[in-house]
Amino acid sequence: MYALECAMDELAAKVGIDPLELRLKKLRRAGPERRQAVLEQGTPRLLRQGAERFGWARRNPQPRSMREGDTLVGWGMASGAWEASQLPAAAKAVLTADGKLTVSSATADIGTGTYTIMTQVAAELLGCRWTT
């Protein structure tokens, strides 16, 4: 992802277009209809909103042109999406005679806290104290 975003910034500089506008043009050419609708409705609005809040229009667009003393200051942008397919899911809960509850599911935690929140939800719903 990082390499692609760097290449987008380099391409924008090479052809003389704002990196934000280049990404917006790329989004308009996105794939399947369902994804297309999401991209057209949400992502451009969010990119523009972020650029406005960050002060994107006030930056010097020339690469390596902004400094604070001897330090180069770079302003770049990147966007990304995690396509999370929603498929049927199941979980298994086992309550042992000694009162231990184990809830399991075939999930992947990529560092976003999936295991923790699933533990908290199960404990809350079942009125249990939880530990990880």
Side-chain angles (χ1 to χ4, degrees), residues 21-35:
E21 290 305 315
L22 180 62
R23 283 169 176 83
L24 293 173
K25 287 177 185 277
K26 178 182 169 279
L27 287 175
R28 286 193 284 272
R29 294 190 178 98
E33 287 180 26
R34 182 172 151 245
R35 213 171 130 214

Side-chain angles (χ1 to χ4, degrees), residues 32-94:
E33 287 180 26
R34 182 172 151 245
R35 213 171 130 214
Q36 178 84 19
V38 171
L39 293 172
E40 287 176 354
Q41 294 168 18
T43 305
R45 178 180 50 82
L46 294 173
L47 287 174
R48 286 188 181 104
Q49 184 181 55
E52 182 182 320
R53 289 184 180 184
F54 194 76
W56 184 253
R58 295 187 304 274
R59 85 196 192 296
N60 185 337
Q62 182 65 34
R64 305 182 59 85
S65 63
M66 298 188 332
R67 295 181 179 271
E68 283 181 12
D70 292 335
T71 303
L72 282 171
V73 176
W75 280 26
M77 68 163 316
S79 62
W82 178 270
E83 189 169 333
S85 300
Q86 295 180 350
L87 302 172
K92 178 174 89 172
V94 177

Side-chain angles (χ1 to χ4, degrees), residues 3-14 17-20 22-23 56 63 75-78:
L4 175 62
E5 291 297 332
C6 288
M8 291 284 285
D9 284 343
E10 290 175 16
L11 175 62
K14 188 93 162 170
I17 186 172
D18 183 281
L20 172 61
L22 180 62
R23 283 169 176 83
W56 184 253
W75 280 26
M77 68 163 316

